[in-house]
Every structure is written in C-alpha cells, then in structure tokens.
Amino acid sequence: MSTNETFKTFNDMTTKGMDRMTSLGELNVSIFEKLASRQMDALNLYMDHSMRLMTLATESKGYNEFFKGQVEATKALTERMMDESKATMQVLGETREEYRTWLEKNMAEISADVRKGVAAS
C-alpha cells in the first residue's frame, strides 16, 4: 500500500468516524426531545391536578364534598400517571432499539473498513 493510499484510507476512516459521531449526536438529541416531551406531559398532569384541587377547594359546599373530590382527583391522577408511565416505558424501549440499531450498523461499517484496510496493506 502506498503512502497516498494509506493517507486516503485513514482520511476516509476519520471522515466516517466523524459522520458516526454526528449521527450519534442527532440520535441523542432526538431521544432527549422525546423524553423531555414525556416529562412535560407528566408536569401538565400535575398542574391540571393542582388546578382541579384549587377549584374543588373554592367550590365545595362542605368538608365531605371537598374530601370526596380530593380522593376522586387523586385517583384520576394516579390512573393517568400509570398511563404516562407505560407510555414512557414504551419510549424507553424504542430508545433501546434505536441505540442497538445504531451500534450494530456502525460496528458493521467499522469492521468492513478495518478488513478493507488490513487487506490493502
């Protein structure tokens, strides 16, 4: 292998390595956006719950009505949070798959490049 071919091979491997790191960064940003969205959804549930309790506190005609309303609101919040938790677990499962796919694809490319580089020398 000539010096020029060696430099070209290393240059190609460096360029591909940078492309891989860029794609990993893009994957990380995408996943961060999904998880941040899930967190905002959960925060909105808590805000809605707080507003419901404030409305209940100001509009209840007595302690029993207020207490019953609190129990119902908390039950509804708990059920909605369980749904949110399941949706978040789904996102995490998809995230695992996205990382696995990225890793398998890039390791195959790296292996092919190394084989090509070794065969050329």
Side-chain angles (χ1 to χ4, degrees):
M1 178 183 257
S2 73
T3 305
N4 285 341
E5 290 172 337
T6 302
F7 282 134
K8 183 181 180 316
T9 300
F10 281 116
N11 188 32
D12 289 345
M13 290 177 75
T14 302
T15 301
K16 288 178 182 179
M18 291 301 295
D19 291 343
R20 287 182 189 101
M21 289 300 102
T22 300
S23 70
L24 179 61
E26 291 168 353
L27 178 60
N28 286 337
V29 168
S30 170
I31 289 168
F32 174 79
E33 288 172 348
K34 288 178 189 176
L35 293 175
S37 174
R38 301 295 322 140
Q39 269 189 320
M40 288 304 297
D41 290 345
L43 181 61
N44 285 333
L45 285 177
Y46 282 114
M47 293 300 293
D48 291 345
H49 178 70
S50 296
M51 292 302 296
R52 184 173 175 183
L53 291 179
M54 292 298 285
T55 302
L56 188 62
T58 58
E59 295 177 359
S60 294
K61 297 190 180 11
Y63 177 76
N64 287 337
E65 183 180 337
F66 177 63
F67 182 73
K68 182 180 177 185
Q70 279 183 317
V71 169
E72 290 172 1
T74 302
K75 180 182 175 192
L77 174 66
T78 303
E79 289 169 353
R80 291 176 67 192
M81 285 306 296
M82 286 301 293
D83 292 340
E84 288 297 317
S85 295
K86 289 175 185 174
T88 299
M89 292 303 292
Q90 178 70 28
V91 168
L92 292 174
E94 292 168 3
T95 298
R96 182 189 72 226
E97 277 302 306
E98 289 174 10
Y99 276 123
R100 187 186 62 74
T101 301
W102 181 90
L103 183 64
E104 287 176 353
K105 173 185 174 276
N106 286 287
M107 289 307 293
E109 289 175 2
I110 290 170
S111 295
D113 287 346
V114 169
R115 279 190 211 106
K116 185 172 65 174
V118 169
S121 58

